[in-house]
Amino acid sequence: MISVNNRDFLFTPIADFIISSEKVAHVQVGNNAEHALLVLTKTGYSAIPVLDAKYHLKGLLSMGMITDSILGLEHIEYERLADLKVDEIMQTDLPSIKTTDRFQKGLDLLIDHTFLCVTEEDGTFAGILTRRVILKQFKKYIYSVH
Ligand code: AMP
């Protein structure tokens, strides 16, 4: 069992650990599923954020969501990709986390998610917080105190 005496690091704001929005691949609500499939394939990411024209976070889109949306009874209906809009198939119930939230909240949420979309108070997309980054910080902390 790891025992951590000084818990201050749990209250560090997550702002320092975010991969900022300009470095994050995303799609826009009006894009079609074909474009999203291209972005996901080319970047190699499992899921990416969906933003509106004002850079507000609207949802999350994964390869699985796209495939699921074109599953026919007999075969995968690739021809539907061009007509399907990203906002018709994206996931909208995302865990909410803001730039001002603390490390502890990020840690708790990242148990169930590989990454989190982080917003400013007004809903503008700020970037992502990944499990990889938080684990690295946690490791650094554990090694420094033991
Ligand atoms: P990683 O921590 O690098 O393994 O990333 C985990 C997941 O976070 C990836 O599969 C993507 O879904 C997402 N992700 C990480 N970095 C980016 C990025 N620069 N742009 C978009 N999504 C990202």
Side-chain angles (χ1 to χ4, degrees):
M1 183 69 153
I2 300 169
S3 123
V4 178
N5 297 327
N6 182 345
R7 290 169 180 265
D8 288 354
F9 81 100
L10 289 175
F11 301 101
T12 316
I14 58 161
D16 295 348
F17 312 125
I18 294 171
I19 298 173
S20 63
S21 57
E22 62 272 17
K23 293 188 189 138
V24 177
H26 73 272
V27 286
Q28 295 211 316
V29 275
N31 290 152
N32 64 23
E34 190 171 20
H35 172 77
L37 188 61
L38 261 173
V39 176
L40 282 163
T41 306
K42 283 287 170 199
T43 58
Y45 293 131
S46 51
I48 48 176
V50 181
L51 309 180
D52 69 9
K54 290 184 172 164
Y55 240 65
H56 285 125
L57 177 66
K58 293 293 166 186
L60 193 71
L61 192 73
S62 70
M63 198 75 97
M65 291 172 208
I66 298 177
T67 318
D68 195 50
S69 72
I70 55 169
L71 265 190
L73 285 179
E74 306 268 313
H75 59 100
I76 298 177
E77 299 167 350
Y78 292 104
E79 62 281 4
R80 293 179 51 214
L81 282 173
D83 298 326
L84 272 172
K85 293 277 182 273
V86 158
D87 44 311
E88 294 174 61
I89 54 180
M90 67 187 183
Q91 176 193 344
T92 53
D93 58 334
L94 307 182
S96 157
I97 186 156
K98 299 196 166 58
T99 47
T100 47
D101 281 325
R102 308 286 155 165
F103 189 96
Q104 185 164 23
K105 180 165 181 184
L107 189 62
D108 288 349
L109 288 172
L110 284 169
I111 288 171
D112 294 324
H113 306 271
T114 51
F115 76 100
L116 303 166
C117 295
V118 187
T119 59
E120 306 288 359
E121 290 298 326
D122 67 355
T124 308
F125 179 63
I128 58 172
L129 185 68
T130 65
R131 187 183 282 167
R132 181 199 297 270
V133 168
I134 285 289
L135 275 179
K136 269 191 188 169
Q137 289 302 320
F138 197 62
K139 177 179 159 186
K140 208 192 282 181
Y141 177 78
I142 297 288
Y143 286 5
S144 73
V145 293
H146 284 85

